[in-house]
Amino acid sequence: MITKKDQCFYLSTKNTTYLFSVTETGHLEHLYYGKTIAPDSINLEALSEKRSLPIGTGTAYDNAHKTLFLGNLCLEYSTMGKGDCRESSVDIEYGRGMHTLDFTVKDFRILQGKPRTFGGLAESYGDKETCTTLEITLKDTCLPIRLALSYTAFEDSDVITRRSTLFNDSDRTITIRNLASLQLDLDEDDWNFVTFDGAWSRERYQHERPLMPGIMINDSKTGVSSAEHNPCVFLTKQGSTPSNGECIGCNLVYSGNHRELVETSPYGKVRLLTGINPATFSWELSSQDRFQSPEAVLTFSSLGMNGASNNFHHFINNHIVRGPWKFRERPVLVNNWEATYFNFSEDKLIALAKQSAELGAELFVLDDGWFGIRNDDTTSLGDWTVNPKKLPSGLSRLSLEIHRLGMMFGLWVEPEMISVESELYKKHPDWMVAIPGRTPSVGRNQHLLDLTRLDVREYLFKILSDTWHLADVNYIKWDMNRTFSDLYSANSEIHNHGEFIHRYVLGLYELLSRLTAAFPNVLFESCASGGNRFDLGMLCFMPQTWTSDNTDALCRLYIQEGTSCGYPLSTMGSHVSASPNHQTLRKTDLDSRFNIAAFGVLGYELDITKLTRQQKEAVKAQISFYKAHRAILQFGTFNRIKLANSSSNQVVWLVHNADKSELLVLFAQKLNPSNPGTDKLRIEGAHLEAIYEVFPRQQKIDLKSIGDLINQISPFAISEGSKTQDALSNAVSLDSEIEHYRVSGELLANAGIKLNQQFGGTGYNAETRVLGDFGSRLYIFKRIN
Ligand code: GLA
């Protein structure tokens, strides 16, 4: 709901209130963002900044308002040159290096629903029943420039989205240096700033630091939203716990360079800005033209980061992801990449596919290497036609075989790239992003295609749609494996290369809109060397994202946990891969790899034809378990209870259905604590009136994992690494512990269950929990009353 009373704008969602007012000078003073305050208890006098005296050395707004210091007001937007020396949300250079601006309110309107944006940005959507929009128009007091601020309140998700639009009503071109999507000023500084940082194969590790006087920046200058710093950030009240305490979350519906800046002022006020990164941006705005910022997404919860994450999850599932796959359960896939890399034949793929179908997989994905003459990563990007040497019967034949096996067929592409060794480069060298006369830098032996150009996009649309029709695809993995360098375009529309990256993003979105509209039933998964572009912009086109190339069970605890803070499980591609893991060489047990991958969209990415009989049985059981619980594992309510990202050796995650009649709990340990103490499962989120049956998913324990201790019970000697050990481990495995409880939700929430003892070197029986290093269990809680 959004209303205006007296000079106060009142925005509300199910559990939150957002308030700001118009000052006597026409500026917008931010008053409050937090838990619901009823409209009739709003007291403007109590909420407004007191200003009966001037501030020492401060610059007052003007002679008529000697105690109005914009530099110490919480504001909804800010400019330079009128006394507010904090980082501003709007910066325009309008002539001879001048930047001073002063926007004051002229007009506003409140609409049910959410009007569509212009200019090709990705954006959220909502109808008249779910959201309300406020648009406020401000005008500079001297110049013919207008700024429009737009707020959409999504009642059901406890989310408010925001964006800014600049209108150049003057008769000359002005240069936009910065236009933040959102400014949020807070009047207390006892917050922690939480960001998700990393690199290839260690994406979105959570970091938290207390605010200090001055500026902290989380940004990307790589050209993509990046694994280095994701655009999703949080402010958590110091002293809060994962499920308790005030938390503000902020994200951006954008896939290019972004910046989230937090500034703590000398007066203890905090300013949060998010938007396109001004460090790599400038935009020439012609006379009578307008420019719109990407949409920012804001949420508040008093239930800590879990509460704020749940709001984001709801918002993304309901208002970002679209199309037939929105709430459709996502298929279990098998991808051939780590099974074969570039080295595959038709026979090998069919063998993999047959085995996949037997184990219960529903989608077979052919990854890199099927096109051009590509046998390694040095050639052929751009030549999206089948390699006849590798696939003599063609893509359509392979797809037919896969479909005959009862599975969907998926294909990998990396359309935004070009290899110098390609037919495409021979024909169109100027389509490659490079600066004439300067040797271009190179990433993974490849270069960017200039997506700002219409002819490039036309080429891609045609060749991709022809191939996808031919191959009758059901799924596309859209990859993007390098960051930007040598920015230059021969596109005559670009006069200022500060526009390049934003125009590239708009070009990408245009291409994706056309392709997703042309293939409405295809499931798209976005990827960028794993999770280098995991953002809300891509999720507007593709319902899921490959979370990371790193599928090591231990690393995945950190990666998936960090990612889940901003994004729902339905968006996170998670695969079981080989052990030792290809990124870390760490050995982990097959069931623990599954237990962690199950918290997301499950897939397998290893040579399943080479698994032992025991392992195949285990995988079959995993897939059937996953399918039975998939609705919860993809679309349930997810909470982090014990964090990987903490000093705790244990990690506990919870996902449950809406009425809490079914809960699934991951219990994982980082290392095996020798002679361990008692492990306890306390689930505060259980339904207090429920009675639950609680038991672990049955797992197989590989005989090899107990090493030569086997000789304690074996009638014949078995040495490590011997053929006998192999044969035995192929034929038999141990069952995991038997453990079963019938307990009340009250007991679970307040006391918890003391679990069976872990193996501690003193013996073993049917009740012993053998977890080892990086081991885990998945507990099932079923309500029975
Ligand atoms: C990237 C992706 C991988 C795989 C390879 C293929 O690294 O993240 O999943 O598709 O490219 O080259």
Side-chain angles (χ1 to χ4, degrees):
M1 179 180 79
I2 301 182
T3 53
K4 179 170 185 268
K5 196 173 163 221
D6 304 325
Q7 288 307 308
C8 184
F9 288 96
Y10 178 94
L11 287 71
S12 71
T13 64
K14 210 168 39 179
N15 300 296
T16 71
T17 297
Y18 188 107
L19 290 175
F20 59 94
S21 65
V22 185
T23 65
E24 67 278 25
T25 49
H27 298 91
L28 295 179
E29 180 181 356
H30 177 82
L31 300 174
Y32 174 74
Y33 184 36
K35 243 178 156 167
T36 300
I37 300 180
D40 53 11
S41 51
I42 303 301
N43 179 329
L44 260 184
E45 204 188 338
L47 291 166
S48 304
E49 188 75 33
K50 301 300 169 305
R51 37 189 169 88
S52 61
L53 294 171
I55 293 177
T57 72
T59 303
Y61 181 58
D62 62 16
N63 233 339
H65 303 92
K66 284 197 169 125
T67 59
L68 173 59
F69 291 82
L70 293 178
N72 189 36
L73 271 195
C74 288
L75 295 165
E76 288 297 305
Y77 65 94
S78 54
T79 58
M80 284 193 267
K82 297 301 291 176
D84 184 358
C85 299
R86 293 168 288 183
E87 194 73 18
S88 67
S89 60
V90 188
D91 181 10
I92 299 170
E93 192 182 322
Y94 53 84
R96 292 192 294 149
M98 289 200 291
H99 293 261
T100 295
L101 289 167
D102 185 19
F103 289 108
T104 53
V105 174
K106 287 292 158 241
D107 213 354
F108 77 93
R109 59 177 189 148
I110 295 169
L111 327 152
Q112 286 309 309
K114 179 173 187 269
R116 286 217 49 147
T117 183
F118 63 87
L121 284 159
E123 62 170 333
S124 68
Y125 61 95
D127 56 25
K128 291 188 173 152
E129 278 68 54
T130 48
C131 60
T132 317
T133 299
L134 163 66
E135 287 177 347
I136 304 186
T137 305
L138 306 107
K139 197 188 155 303
D140 183 75
T141 47
C142 282
L143 304 169
I145 304 176
R146 276 174 297 142
L147 169 68
L149 302 179
S150 128
Y151 301 74
T152 301
F154 288 86
E155 299 269 339
D156 53 347
S157 305
D158 274 331
V159 155
I160 293 173
T161 68
R162 294 186 44 184
R163 61 187 179 215
S164 322
T165 312
L166 271 171
F167 298 81
N168 181 3
D169 301 327
S170 78
D171 54 10
R172 58 164 111 147
T173 298
I174 56 176
T175 305
I176 305 172
R177 299 268 178 226
N178 180 28
L179 179 63
S181 302
L182 161 149
Q183 170 173 320
L184 178 69
D185 282 2
L186 304 166
D187 51 22
E188 285 171 330
D189 61 2
D190 52 347
W191 300 90
N192 288 324
F193 185 38
V194 183
T195 59
F196 301 90
D197 318 276
W200 173 75
S201 111
R202 49 183 166 83
E203 294 91 341
R204 289 172 295 288
Y205 277 51
Q206 182 179 329
H207 297 102
E208 179 174 286
R209 71 291 275 163
L211 293 187
M212 303 281 267
I215 289 178
M216 291 179 187
I217 288 178
N218 176 75
D219 77 349
S220 169
K221 303 186 194 77
T222 63
V224 288
S225 49
S226 94
E228 293 175 18
H229 308 287
N230 193 267
C232 180
V233 299
F234 292 87
L235 290 170
T236 56
K237 260 288 155 91
Q238 285 164 15
S240 51
T241 66
S243 295
N244 208 355
E246 293 179 6
C247 177
I248 291 171
C250 177
N251 205 340
L252 195 64
V253 189
Y254 194 57
S255 308
N257 285 346
H258 59 91
R259 179 187 72 166
E260 292 66 47
L261 178 145
V262 187
E263 178 166 2
T264 305
S265 84
Y267 303 101
K269 291 197 166 60
V270 171
R271 171 165 295 172
L272 170 67
L273 298 172
T274 182
I276 295 177
N277 193 345
T280 53
F281 170 82
S282 69
W283 189 271
E284 307 280 304
L285 189 65
S286 317
S287 162
Q288 308 309 316
D289 202 358
R290 56 190 176 163
F291 179 87
Q292 191 160 65
S293 76
E295 185 179 22
V297 180
L298 193 63
T299 194
F300 170 88
S301 174
S302 55
L303 302 174
M305 259 179 63
N306 275 328
S309 296
N310 287 335
N311 297 346
F312 277 155
H313 294 178
H314 186 275
F315 177 72
I316 294 168
N317 279 330
N318 286 277
H319 302 292
I320 289 282
V321 172
R322 56 204 85 196
W325 286 98
K326 180 170 170 174
F327 280 114
R328 187 158 153 204
E329 291 182 19
R330 313 286 164 73
V332 176
L333 67 80
V334 170
N335 177 307
N336 77 308
W337 178 240
E338 290 199 357
T340 64
Y341 292 104
F342 293 102
N343 185 17
F344 56 81
S345 62
E346 266 173 9
D347 287 351
K348 179 68 200 176
L349 294 177
I350 298 291
L352 273 171
K354 276 192 179 140
Q355 186 63 77
S356 310
E358 273 165 31
L359 297 181
E362 299 155 309
L363 162 64
F364 183 79
V365 182
L366 172 55
D367 210 278
D368 196 353
W370 58 266
F371 52 93
I373 50 160
R374 190 156 163 101
N375 292 314
D376 56 32
D377 63 14
T378 58
T379 78
S380 306
L381 293 170
D383 301 344
W384 299 108
T385 45
V386 75
N387 177 337
K389 281 202 180 138
K390 278 191 188 168
L391 299 173
S393 318
L395 276 181
S396 48
R397 187 57 207 254
L398 178 69
S399 163
L400 194 68
E401 289 296 322
I402 308 289
H403 287 144
R404 271 200 196 127
L405 289 167
M407 284 189 296
M408 295 184 256
F409 177 59
L411 198 61
W412 177 97
V413 284
E414 197 183 354
E416 299 163 63
M417 297 292 155
I418 183 165
S419 308
V420 169
E421 199 182 330
S422 66
E423 293 306 312
L424 186 64
Y425 185 75
K426 279 186 208 147
K427 275 192 228 138
H428 298 289
D430 59 321
W431 285 9
M432 174 175 126
V433 175
I435 303 172
R438 189 188 281 276
T439 308
S441 297
V442 64
R444 208 197 184 200
N445 302 302
Q446 63 196 52
H447 300 270
L448 282 162
L449 272 176
D450 185 355
L451 259 61
T452 72
R453 293 172 63 142
L454 187 58
D455 49 0
V456 174
R457 301 198 299 269
E458 288 295 337
Y459 165 78
L460 288 174
F461 180 79
K462 170 106 187 34
I463 194 157
L464 293 172
S465 33
D466 286 353
T467 311
W468 297 352
H469 278 303
L470 184 84
D472 194 10
V473 296
N474 311 104
Y475 162 105
I476 288 294
K477 179 175 171 189
W478 181 289
D479 207 343
M480 199 283 188
N481 283 314
R482 68 157 293 182
T483 54
F484 290 42
S485 70
D486 302 277
L487 302 186
Y488 176 83
S489 175
N491 181 351
S492 59
E493 278 175 37
I494 301 188
H495 306 293
N496 165 6
H497 278 83
E499 296 177 7
F500 181 87
I501 295 174
H502 186 58
R503 284 184 184 269
Y504 180 98
V505 175
L506 295 178
L508 171 67
Y509 288 164
E510 188 225 51
L511 179 61
L512 295 180
S513 310
R514 287 182 68 192
L515 285 167
T516 49
F519 294 87
N521 295 315
V522 166
L523 172 63
F524 284 85
E525 176 156 351
S526 104
C527 170
S529 305
N532 200 30
R533 197 165 60 182
F534 202 127
D535 61 58
L536 298 180
M538 293 309 286
L539 287 173
C540 287
F541 302 98
M542 309 195 176
Q544 56 193 61
T545 306
W546 180 222
T547 311
S548 173
D549 280 351
N550 186 348
T551 41
D552 171 77
L554 178 67
C555 293
R556 277 288 180 141
L557 288 172
Y558 293 86
I559 295 169
Q560 290 177 211
E561 181 176 286
T563 308
S564 77
C565 293
Y567 306 90
L569 303 189
S570 61
T571 63
M572 288 162 46
S574 329
H575 298 178
V576 173
S577 62
S579 174
N581 175 271
H582 290 197
Q583 290 73 38
T584 60
L585 296 181
R586 201 187 327 271
K587 287 186 183 168
T588 56
D589 76 83
L590 181 58
D591 272 314
S592 290
R593 274 173 271 155
F594 165 77
N595 291 344
I596 293 158
F599 285 76
V601 179
L602 180 69
Y604 288 80
E605 191 164 334
L606 71 170
D607 192 344
I608 44 172
T609 61
K610 299 222 173 93
L611 297 179
T612 65
R613 193 170 63 79
Q614 291 292 320
Q615 288 169 328
K616 282 180 191 164
E617 269 170 26
V619 169
K620 205 169 182 177
Q622 293 170 357
I623 294 180
S624 110
F625 176 90
Y626 183 79
K627 286 179 182 167
H629 299 88
R630 171 160 50 186
I632 299 179
L633 288 165
Q634 294 182 353
F635 296 102
T637 306
F638 178 75
N639 285 301
R640 298 158 297 270
I641 296 180
K642 279 191 183 175
L643 305 192
N645 180 53
S646 71
S647 54
S648 164
N649 185 45
Q650 296 173 352
V651 180
V652 179
W653 295 344
L654 160 71
V655 68
H656 60 78
N657 58 2
D659 64 6
K660 296 188 175 176
S661 58
E662 187 162 348
L663 281 58
L664 295 170
V665 172
L666 173 79
F667 177 99
Q669 72 181 10
K670 295 176 187 169
L671 290 177
N672 183 12
S674 173
N675 186 15
T678 311
D679 292 338
K680 199 160 148 183
L681 213 50
R682 180 170 169 196
I683 306 297
E684 286 178 48
H687 195 303
L688 295 181
E689 272 135 43
I691 305 290
Y692 292 100
E693 297 276 359
V694 181
F695 49 95
R697 184 180 80 82
Q698 276 299 296
Q699 300 187 184
K700 295 283 177 200
I701 300 163
D702 186 351
L703 281 184
K704 283 183 179 171
S705 69
I706 63 172
D708 73 358
L709 272 181
I710 188 80
N711 290 313
Q712 300 298 313
I713 47 167
S714 170
F716 50 91
I718 301 166
S719 51
E720 282 245 57
S722 65
K723 287 223 167 76
T724 326
Q725 193 195 32
D726 278 350
L728 203 63
S729 124
N730 195 1
V732 275
S733 53
L734 298 175
D735 286 328
S736 58
E737 71 282 359
I738 295 164
E739 194 166 11
H740 186 263
Y741 306 91
R742 181 170 290 191
V743 284
S744 68
E746 211 172 32
L747 179 143
L748 279 168
N750 299 328
I753 297 172
K754 287 189 183 120
L755 294 170
N756 282 6
Q757 286 166 284
Q758 276 202 52
F759 177 79
T762 54
Y764 168 82
N765 59 31
E767 281 157 27
T768 314
R769 289 166 64 238
V770 180
L771 269 77
D773 287 349
F774 331 118
S776 68
R777 290 289 183 274
L778 231 168
Y779 292 92
I780 300 137
F781 294 59
K782 269 199 187 307
R783 183 172 184 171
I784 50 166
N785 62 340

